[in-house]
Amino acid sequence: MAAAGETASTIKARSWLVDEAYAALRGAILANEYPPGHQVSAQELALRFGMSRTPVQEAALRLQQEGLVEIVPKRGIRIRALTAEDLTEIYDVVIAIEALAAERIAGMDSAARRRAGEGLAAETDRMAAALAAGDREAWGAADAAFHAALIAHCGNRRFGTIIEAVNAQSHRARAITMRLSDNLAASIPEHRAIIAAIRAGEGGAAHAAARQHRQRARDTVLPLLARIGLRHF
């Protein structure tokens, strides 16, 4: 709601500043510039971003809704840390949505399935090439692109919104396990099974393959984090 006396240009400028503060703070969190549990004041962030506290506070409210921060009254903004229970819940969401996404694509016409299959196969080939070169960062980028493409091709925009939010929450755990995992290669045949089912128009098989892939990832990641003694991430 606009404050008394605000003009359209003032409202637009304020909205732009909030978007800028949101993007800057979200980017800093995803880049691990602020570790889990770190607490920072709105004033400190405002100085860093070169703006007043108001857009920073509004941006923090958005990030709190996404589960990335917690606003602590009179104390500032705390970067949220995940527990194993949080990560289990995130996997539950990802497993359900990606399985439905794969099933939806498999139910599309042959041209749509072909386009999706080509895009997913290209990212899987990039993963294989990165793994052969020993480049874990490139493997991770291609893997993320595969899963983003799976959601993008399914035609449900709300799936994308939900997945983007939970991926942001779990990015630290993903980065840790990607560096430490000794089983990155398992994802490649699993991706190819999803692609094959989509190309064949077999919705049930696509659903099962996508579900099993993410379940296997969950059952790898959670014990790995426990084994290295991480309780919060």
Side-chain angles (χ1 to χ4, degrees):
M1 183 176 179
E6 278 192 313
T7 65
S9 60
T10 301
I11 294 169
K12 184 176 180 180
R14 186 181 67 182
S15 177
W16 179 83
L17 281 172
V18 173
D19 289 344
E20 285 288 299
Y22 167 84
L25 181 51
R26 188 175 188 273
I29 294 169
L30 295 183
N32 288 320
E33 293 176 23
Y34 295 120
H38 182 81
Q39 194 160 298
V40 62
S41 70
Q43 182 61 40
E44 181 181 338
L45 291 171
L47 288 171
R48 172 176 174 171
F49 302 149
M51 58 182 67
S52 69
R53 286 188 302 171
T54 300
V56 170
Q57 290 166 335
E58 292 188 32
L61 285 170
R62 285 169 59 180
L63 290 166
Q64 181 170 247
Q65 291 174 342
E66 294 180 10
L68 288 179
V69 306
E70 178 187 2
I71 298 173
V72 184
K74 299 183 180 179
R75 298 187 65 181
I77 300 161
R78 180 183 298 144
I79 311 306
R80 278 206 62 198
L82 290 183
T83 64
E85 183 179 355
D86 291 324
L87 198 56
T88 299
E89 291 178 358
I90 286 170
Y91 266 108
D92 287 344
V93 173
V94 172
I95 289 166
I97 288 179
E98 290 196 357
L100 284 172
E103 182 177 357
R104 282 173 63 91
I105 300 169
M108 294 177 179
D109 61 53
S110 59
R113 296 200 311 272
R114 184 174 61 254
R115 286 193 299 272
E118 288 172 354
L120 295 168
E123 298 303 343
T124 303
D125 289 345
R126 283 179 57 210
M127 290 170 63
L131 197 59
D135 190 340
R136 288 178 178 251
E137 292 298 324
W139 179 94
D143 180 59
F146 174 94
H147 289 282
L150 187 67
I151 298 300
H153 281 288
C154 85
N156 187 316
R157 290 174 298 173
R158 286 173 175 78
F159 281 4
T161 300
I162 295 167
I163 289 292
E164 183 179 1
V166 296
N167 280 347
Q169 293 172 27
S170 61
H171 76 285
R172 285 185 294 264
R174 172 180 165 79
I176 293 166
T177 55
M178 187 180 70
R179 290 195 302 270
L180 298 177
S181 176
D182 58 3
N183 196 28
L184 297 181
S187 290
I188 294 170
E190 291 171 355
H191 282 191
R192 288 181 174 148
I194 297 167
I195 295 165
I198 286 172
R199 284 173 165 163
E202 298 175 356
H207 186 285
R211 183 176 186 85
Q212 289 164 11
H213 169 54
R214 282 305 204 178
Q215 286 175 330
R216 195 271 310 161
R218 175 199 62 197
D219 295 343
T220 299
V221 166
L222 290 174
L224 176 57
L225 292 170
R227 193 159 61 247
I228 63 177
L230 279 185
R231 298 177 61 188
H232 298 89
F233 28 84

